[in-house]
Amino acid sequence: MTTLPRRPAAGLQGSHCSGCSVTVYPADESCPRCGGPATPAALSGAGTLWTWTVQRYAPKSPPYKEPPGGFTPFALGYVELKEGVRVAAVLDVDGLDEIRIGMPLTVTAGDGVPRARPTHTREEDS
C-alpha cells in the first residue's frame, strides 16, 4: 500500500477486493475474506452510529499518557460507513447523553484511533 491508513492528510484510507467486493478499514494489501489482492480505496467517512460504549476509567499506561487536566470519560463507537465498513472511533460529542444508535456521524483519520463527530445537515447534503 502506498497510502498509510491513519495519516490524517490522506483522509480515511481503506482497501477494496475486486474478487469478492469486500472493503475494509484500515487498508490491507490482501483481502481478509478471500486472501486475494486488495487495492487502496478512499472511504467517504460518512456513516451512522452502529453501537457505542463509554470508557469510564483511564487506559493502562504505557502507552496511555494522562492529559494535564486528568482523565475524563469518553465515548467509543462503531460507525457504519456508506461503503458498508464499520470503523471503531472515539465519539467527539458535546455530551454523552446526546449519543443515539443510528445518529449520522463523520469519521476522520487522526493520530491513533479515528475520530467521529455528529454530522450537521449541511455536511449530509454535500
Side-chain angles (χ1 to χ4, degrees):
M1 295 272 133
T2 58
T3 304
L4 296 173
R6 292 188 178 104
R7 197 175 77 219
L12 204 57
Q13 297 295 310
S15 57
H16 180 78
C17 175
S18 59
C20 68
S21 297
V22 166
T23 301
V24 298
Y25 179 85
D28 199 339
E29 292 181 358
S30 61
C31 175
R33 179 183 286 165
C34 72
T39 57
L43 303 176
S44 67
T48 57
L49 186 59
W50 186 72
T51 193
W52 63 282
T53 190
V54 176
Q55 177 79 24
R56 297 194 185 276
Y57 56 91
K60 289 185 178 185
S61 182
Y64 175 75
K65 294 179 184 174
E66 190 165 322
F71 174 78
T72 303
F74 59 94
L76 297 165
Y78 276 100
V79 179
E80 186 164 21
L81 302 181
K82 291 180 180 180
E83 295 86 356
V85 179
R86 292 182 187 143
V87 175
V90 172
L91 306 180
D92 290 327
V93 294
D94 291 332
L96 298 176
D97 57 340
E98 75 178 63
I99 301 171
R100 301 285 182 267
I101 301 258
M103 69 187 290
L105 296 167
T106 301
V107 181
T108 55
D111 293 330
V113 178
R115 314 281 298 195
R117 59 183 172 76
T119 304
H120 301 291
T121 305
R122 283 180 277 143
E123 292 173 325
E124 290 175 5
D125 296 338
S126 58

